[in-house]
Amino acid sequence: MSTVSGADRLIDSINLAHAGDRTEVLSSEITDLAAGLYESALEFGHGGDRYGVDAEVAAVLAEYYLARHQMSGADADLRAGVTCLVASFFADAEVLAEDGRRLAEEIVRQHAADTGAATWSRDVGEMLAAARQTGSTALRNQVITRARIGARIADPGTVERSALLADLSAGLQDRFFHTGDVDALSEAIDVARTAVAETPNGQLMWSLCRNNLGANLRVRYETTGAVPDLDEAIAVLRGVADDPVVETSHARVSAISNLSVALRQRYDLTGDRSDIDEAIRRGRKAVTLAEDDPPAQREYLSNLAAALVIRMKSRSGTQAGHRDIDEAVTLYREALALPAGDVVQDGVDRQRLAIALRYRFQMDGREEDIDEATGLARGLADEAAPHLRPHGLATLAGTLLARLRRGGDDDAIEAEALQVARDTLAVTPVGHIGRIMALTTLRDVLRYRWERLRSPEDLDEIIDLDRSIVTDGPARGWRLAGSLNHLGVDLSVRHGHSGDPADFEAAAATHRAAANAAPPGHVEQARALALLALAVHQQPPPAVGADPAEAGTTDEQAAFDVTPRDDPSWAYRIFQRSVDLRTSFERAGDPADLDQAINLGRHALAAAEVTSGLTAHILSHLGAAHRTRYEHLGDSGDLDVAIAIGRAAIAVPDTADTDHAGALSHLSLAYLRQADRTDQPVYLDLALELGRAAIAAEPQDASDSIRALHLSNLAILLKVRGDADRNLARFRRDDYREAADILHQAVELELRNSPDRARYLHNLATARLAVLDHDESLTVAELDEVTELLRESVALTAANHPELAGRRWSLADTLCRRHRATPGNDRQHLTEALQIWQAVATSPLAPVRVRALAALSWGTAAARIEDHNASLAAFRTAVGLLPVAASRGLIRPDRESMLENWTGLAGRAAAAALKAERPDVAVELLESGRAVLWQQAMDIGDDIFLLAVHEPELAARLRQLNVLLDAEEPTR
């Protein structure tokens, strides 16, 4: 007969007895049945737990034997009934009826009182240690129940009561670790507060009770993201860690380690590097002080290693980062060689080692690391203990994914990773502490498959998982902001492929929500603001009629869409590639390099770890890249993004780092462009303030190159303000002279073979020229000195450098001044100037605005010496550049703003044509100059007609793009 059917027979006999028929309850058959159930129900091992008892059967037996006792008065029945009642109460009190539960509690309380608080407390402590060693749920439940009852019989303020409260808090914390029940953790905190309030300073339990409270508070912060919990935890743990009275107690050493963990978590929150450095310092001290307690030392070694892994992420790609991860792996190995205090710690340590090995593999590509990590993860995934299985499966899926990313496509590994990730989610219920890790792991594996196959279904599931992470994760704080930012990024990716405006609106709203959720000044707030600006300025959707599944399938586009978040070094590597491309553009001038640098920078920003100091650097670089593109193409959207990202960059709390000075400098230059664009002096004043702040923020160990760069940027701002203050002679003179003095310092700091030296020489020359011009002291000797500076600048500039054209224009302008200052107006300098201007105006590598300015200068100078044919050629070149300068790729206000800079050009060109006796050309130039926008709006394009003769499909595609461009004038 099964246990269930046997219990049912007992219940039937009890019901008959209550109805007045006692025959069956006293029969030998039922007596034998009860005896058999008694033996099996109270036998340890129920439910796979070696200490487990069948609480429901024990409750039925208790009712049966107590009913028999009432009828027979036999002491044996009473003893059996009480034994079963207490066993059921300890196993699961909820299965007892209310009367039975009250009776059992009174029996246990009386037994505790008879035993004495001291003995009862000692027994509970031993049971807690056994529960941790074995992972037994039954023992843990007994600890909680016994500690509750013991605390009621012990006198407040005594060591016994404090110890029982401490054990109760510890048991409730263990229940949370195994079940994810936050209510249990909150009760553990309440119990710990009671213990702290009752335990006087100097008592044996003082440090232990405070350590428990601090540890529980930081665990709840880790789960809910409630910052006040973390602040209180650090304050409580500092009080114990720094109390000289308890210097040698084990609880004090534990508090030092817990403080290390809490500081590591606050570093996650604020990015304050002093916190992570202190965390590592405190962690090392805890390890040293615990040499006589191997289980404790194992825990502290593991916590120290975890802090090193966190610091490694902020140093990703550096030698210091490699040293941190190597030491972390070594410490985890040392920890695993020591005995564990409990099964939870053993599982945590193996998982942490597997993840650390995975990180090192991602950084170095060591095959032995990923093999060992996979073996550890498989062992955790095969664990029978339910609390270890979700973490083990998630670690295995992440490890398989790391192998895929490093080793290339492997269908079998990909299929296993995806199945394991789905299994992880299936065995991790909502509310479990590992739920977010399960959701994140599945999302990351699907992202890998999305990168390869571009399946819309995968992208839809990724976004659904992002939304689940937001829903199931912390309700507030930076963790919520981080989850929202990831969701916004993925919505932007889908919008880029589908063109669905609902995705764009949702992405923007999500980033706004992230900015509101993050604490002010937190890196996630800065990232949210930057990602919002990027989303608003994102690339247009695919063309009408294009297949979304085929959009972005080139190798280049695929690289842009890859945004893994499971590899701490990926963001660093992509960022470095982005910086290299921007540097390449600055030295070679290929616009494709700048576009790709911006795209890669966006993905590095989306992937950077919350804890990574890299974020501030990415923001600064990305803002500068958008400003540079504005300078070359004139798209005001790029400038708006540069300012938005720049403001986010300086908000990141990283003031002690060179990145902050760089961010201030980049933002100052963006405001300089804004001042030029809007003619608002407030932007120029703001730019100067930021430029001075950048120099003040430089660390003492900043390199000469960094100092030279910031000095040069400030000098540019001063010269521009000098040019703007035309009616304030004194201020103009002071600005020009300060600019020249600063640039002298920059040139002295920069090495002679530095690629930036050419820039500083050019800026110095133009500043000196401004001083001389303002003081009306231009002499031939002084002009020759300026000319030589500009010649050296041009000579040091590569032939395809995007700034070469501007430097050559400055040289030609100075040569023209030299010509006018020479007695007799020697034509040698003017001839050279005309040749330079002509070369710049006709150079396809030069920026359009510089080409147009050179053409204007060329035409004006040629007219002055009455070379009317050359003047006409120059002005025709300038007018012909207007449609290129006001590109159809710009929004209408930007095109209009661009053309405002060339007001009167068409009239001057027509005058040059008349002097060259070409009235027909004069009319043509007047019409061309005044009808640039009208022609763009009306012209279908003769060139497209000619193209259609030879390439009809390409011409049709080009017409379609024209229709898209002209269908609506976008505004920002």
Side-chain angles (χ1 to χ4, degrees), residues 721-786:
R721 189 172 72 174
D723 293 340
D725 291 339
R726 299 187 181 282
N727 298 320
L728 300 172
R730 180 175 62 83
F731 292 118
R732 289 182 66 199
R733 180 180 63 251
D734 291 347
D735 281 343
Y736 287 150
R737 287 183 173 172
E738 185 181 358
D741 291 344
I742 288 173
L743 283 162
H744 270 297
Q745 297 177 49
V747 170
E748 290 298 319
L749 286 169
E750 195 59 70
L751 297 174
R752 295 197 64 83
N753 60 351
S754 167
D756 291 322
R757 184 176 175 81
R759 178 194 307 167
Y760 304 150
L761 288 168
H762 173 263
N763 294 343
L764 174 59
T766 56
R768 286 190 58 186
L769 193 61
V771 172
L772 297 171
D773 195 21
H774 179 269
D775 292 344
E776 298 181 353
S777 61
L778 281 170
T779 66
V780 169
E782 289 168 336
L783 283 170
D784 283 344
E785 289 180 12
V786 173

Side-chain angles (χ1 to χ4, degrees), residues 286-299:
V287 168
T288 301
L289 291 174
E291 288 179 346
D292 62 340
D293 187 355
Q297 189 178 46
R298 171 172 175 160
E299 178 185 348

Side-chain angles (χ1 to χ4, degrees), residues 394-595:
T395 305
L396 176 57
T399 304
L400 292 169
L401 179 58
R403 189 187 291 275
L404 279 171
R405 289 198 185 283
R406 193 85 182 192
D409 295 339
D410 186 311
D411 291 343
I413 294 178
E414 181 183 310
E416 183 184 4
L418 186 57
Q419 186 58 55
V420 172
R422 294 198 187 281
D423 291 344
T424 305
L425 190 58
V427 300
T428 313
V430 174
H432 189 280
I433 190 173
R435 178 74 176 181
I436 299 305
M437 181 172 60
L439 290 165
T440 302
T441 301
L442 178 55
R443 180 196 63 189
D444 290 340
V445 176
L446 283 168
R447 281 196 64 83
Y448 177 82
R449 192 168 73 173
W450 151 255
E451 294 156 16
R452 194 167 61 83
L453 302 179
R454 290 295 191 273
S455 166
E457 290 77 14
D458 280 345
L459 189 53
D460 291 343
E461 186 175 359
I462 288 166
I463 290 171
D464 288 342
L465 289 165
D466 282 331
R467 289 195 167 109
S468 295
I469 291 169
V470 170
T471 302
D472 295 352
R476 59 188 180 278
W478 66 268
R479 290 182 181 274
L480 173 60
S483 299
L484 287 166
N485 275 330
H486 284 319
L487 171 59
V489 168
D490 288 332
L491 285 165
S492 292
V493 170
R494 189 165 71 179
H495 172 250
H497 284 263
S498 70
D500 185 349
D503 280 337
F504 169 76
E505 295 297 334
T510 300
H511 289 309
R512 289 190 189 96
N516 292 331
H522 189 270
V523 63
E524 274 299 348
Q525 185 183 58
R527 185 153 61 168
L529 295 171
L531 289 169
L532 174 60
L534 290 167
V536 171
H537 188 63
Q538 69 181 4
Q539 297 295 319
V544 174
D547 182 358
E550 296 179 0
T553 55
T554 66
D555 290 341
E556 180 181 14
Q557 183 63 39
F560 296 160
D561 278 346
V562 175
T563 311
R565 295 154 198 163
D566 56 323
D567 181 349
S569 63
W570 187 91
Y572 177 84
R573 295 196 305 270
I574 279 299
F575 170 66
Q576 286 299 320
R577 184 179 166 200
S578 176
V579 171
D580 291 344
L581 285 164
R582 180 176 148 226
T583 302
S584 175
F585 167 78
E586 290 174 348
R587 294 176 180 172
D590 185 351
D593 284 344
L594 185 57
D595 291 341

Side-chain angles (χ1 to χ4, degrees), residues 22 159 323 481 551 653 815 845 881 885:
R22 302 180 178 183
V159 172
R323 286 195 299 270
L815 288 167
L845 297 178
L881 288 169

Side-chain angles (χ1 to χ4, degrees), residues 216-360:
N216 286 330
L217 284 165
R218 72 162 184 78
V219 170
R220 188 167 69 179
Y221 161 75
E222 191 175 53
T223 305
T224 66
V227 176
D229 279 345
L230 180 61
D231 293 338
E232 185 182 358
I234 290 175
V236 169
L237 292 167
R238 275 196 196 283
V240 182
D242 296 335
D243 188 345
V245 176
V246 294
E247 185 172 357
T248 59
S249 77
H250 290 298
R252 186 241 181 180
V253 181
S254 178
I256 293 173
S257 182
N258 274 317
L259 176 58
S260 171
V261 177
L263 288 166
R264 182 184 84 208
Q265 291 170 330
R266 190 166 70 180
Y267 169 71
D268 287 349
L269 177 67
T270 66
D272 186 343
R273 294 188 181 179
S274 65
D275 276 341
I276 192 63
D277 291 338
E278 183 184 356
I280 291 171
R281 187 173 66 254
R282 296 271 190 178
R284 293 192 194 284
K285 185 173 184 178
V287 168
T288 301
L289 291 174
E291 288 179 346
D292 62 340
D293 187 355
Q297 189 178 46
R298 171 172 175 160
E299 178 185 348
Y300 306 156
L301 282 166
S302 180
N303 288 343
L304 172 58
L308 287 164
V309 170
I310 292 295
R311 191 170 69 177
M312 174 275 297
K313 294 179 181 179
S314 69
R315 296 171 159 186
S316 184
T318 66
Q319 287 300 316
H322 283 268
R323 286 195 299 270
D324 280 343
I325 194 64
D326 286 343
E327 184 180 1
V329 169
T330 299
L331 290 173
Y332 283 135
R333 293 194 196 285
E334 292 177 8
L336 285 166
L338 295 173
D342 57 70
V343 292
V344 172
Q345 185 67 47
D346 183 67
V348 166
D349 292 343
R350 285 185 288 154
Q351 182 193 24
R352 285 177 170 180
L353 175 57
I355 292 173
L357 288 165
R358 185 177 82 204
Y359 284 160
R360 192 164 71 175

Side-chain angles (χ1 to χ4, degrees), residues 918-956:
R918 292 294 305 275
D920 56 327
V921 176
V923 173
E924 175 190 328
L925 291 171
L926 282 172
E927 287 298 312
S928 298
R930 74 177 182 83
V932 173
L933 297 180
W934 179 83
Q935 185 176 4
Q936 287 179 345
M938 298 297 294
D939 181 27
I940 299 300
D942 292 338
D943 291 340
I944 297 180
F945 175 78
L946 294 174
L947 178 65
V949 175
H950 303 285
E951 296 286 346
E953 292 183 2
L954 187 58

